[in-house]
């Protein structure tokens, strides 16, 4: 949209730009969003990393939503992380006992995120994975990807999606840093760009 300057000879001036929203750090974070596994569960795994732009710079205001199946491969069917107190309307959060499978992590000032969850079991064919949805500034549409955890090389080798990706398959497989701790950086574009999925 443009406007016309009526104070002199007719000329077209650019319309001032607008700040692109929404702003993901406002109203969307909730306490304990990254703590998906029940407190003290012995099979908890931590997945962490950075959300990086096309030049490799970290994004301090992104969201990473993570969903995973239960360790036996079933879909969790318990109350979600945003439970409310029916009397006060206040935020109750997770009950700390049951596994919801879903969480939301906001990146910190350095673009770092983490989620503590249970290692997912396989559902249908292929290797088990965590589903991921990324929201960040500059993205008009959120992005979907997967995180495969290392450990079962035969399952990873037989996975139908990974088998179609060739050299780029490594962008979907987390690195094991220590027992129960995995690193997974999300590169939005550029060299080493994470493979993103389209759902129709």
């Amino acid at each position: 949209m443009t406007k016309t300057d009526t104070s002199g000879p007719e000329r077209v001036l650019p319309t001032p730009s607008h700040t692109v929203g929404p702003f993901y750090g406002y109203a969307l974070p909730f306490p304990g969003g990254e703590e998906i596994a029940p407190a003290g569960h012995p099979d908890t795994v931590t997945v962490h990393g950075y959300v990086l732009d096309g030049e490799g710079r970290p994004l301090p205001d992104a969201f990473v939503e993570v969903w995973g199946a239960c360790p036996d491969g079933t879909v969790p069917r318990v109350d979600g992380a945003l439970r409310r107190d029916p009397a006060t309307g206040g935020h109750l959060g997770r009950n700390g006992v049951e596994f919801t499978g879903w969480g939301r992590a906001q990146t910190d000032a350095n673009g770092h995120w983490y989620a503590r969850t249970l290692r997912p079991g396989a559902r249908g064919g292929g290797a088990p994975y965590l589903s991921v949805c990324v929201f960040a500034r500059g993205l008009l549409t959120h992005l979907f990807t997967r995180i495969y955890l290392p450990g079962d090389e035969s399952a990873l080798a037989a996975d139908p999606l990974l088998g179609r990706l060739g050299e780029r398959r490594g962008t979907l497989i987390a690195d094991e840093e220590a027992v129960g701790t995995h690193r997974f950086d999300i590169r939005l574009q550029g060299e080493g760009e994470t493979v993103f999925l389209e759902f129709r």
Side-chain angles (χ1 to χ4, degrees):
M1 176 181 221
T2 59
K3 63 182 180 179
T4 302
D5 180 358
T6 58
S7 63
E10 187 172 320
R11 62 180 196 207
V12 177
L13 301 176
T15 302
S17 62
H18 297 277
T19 303
V20 175
F23 300 97
Y24 296 111
Y26 176 74
L28 289 176
F30 61 94
E34 61 281 326
E35 301 291 339
I36 305 168
H41 196 290
D43 299 323
T44 299
V45 295
T46 299
V47 181
H48 75 101
Y50 293 85
V51 177
L52 306 167
D53 68 14
E55 296 181 2
R57 293 179 302 217
L59 295 180
D61 56 358
F63 268 131
V64 178
E65 290 187 348
V66 177
W67 177 87
C70 295
D72 64 3
T74 59
V75 176
R77 303 271 186 211
V78 299
D79 286 343
L82 301 177
R83 293 181 311 130
R84 298 283 179 178
D85 183 324
T88 67
H91 173 73
L92 288 174
R94 303 177 197 282
N95 64 18
V97 177
E98 296 175 293
F99 179 62
T100 66
W102 180 84
R104 178 186 290 153
Q106 182 177 7
T107 57
D108 64 17
N110 297 315
H112 185 259
W113 68 277
Y114 80 92
R116 288 193 184 96
T117 188
L118 299 181
R119 188 177 186 102
R123 296 181 61 231
Y129 59 86
L130 297 168
S131 294
V132 176
C133 187
V134 182
F135 302 82
R137 63 180 146 124
L139 295 179
L140 299 180
T141 304
H142 46 279
L143 302 172
F144 297 98
T145 190
R146 291 180 177 180
I147 301 174
Y148 290 89
L149 301 179
D152 188 343
E153 296 310 313
S154 61
L156 293 173
D159 186 83
L161 174 63
L162 291 177
R164 293 194 315 247
L165 297 179
E167 294 179 3
R168 295 192 64 204
R169 73 190 294 274
T171 69
L172 298 186
I173 303 173
D175 294 320
E176 186 169 23
E177 293 185 326
V179 175
T181 303
H182 305 278
R183 177 160 176 180
F184 186 81
D185 292 338
I186 300 168
R187 298 180 186 276
L188 299 181
Q189 58 182 192
E191 186 176 346
E193 177 183 329
T194 302
V195 170
F196 296 105
L197 309 174
E198 182 179 59
F199 292 96
R200 299 181 195 183

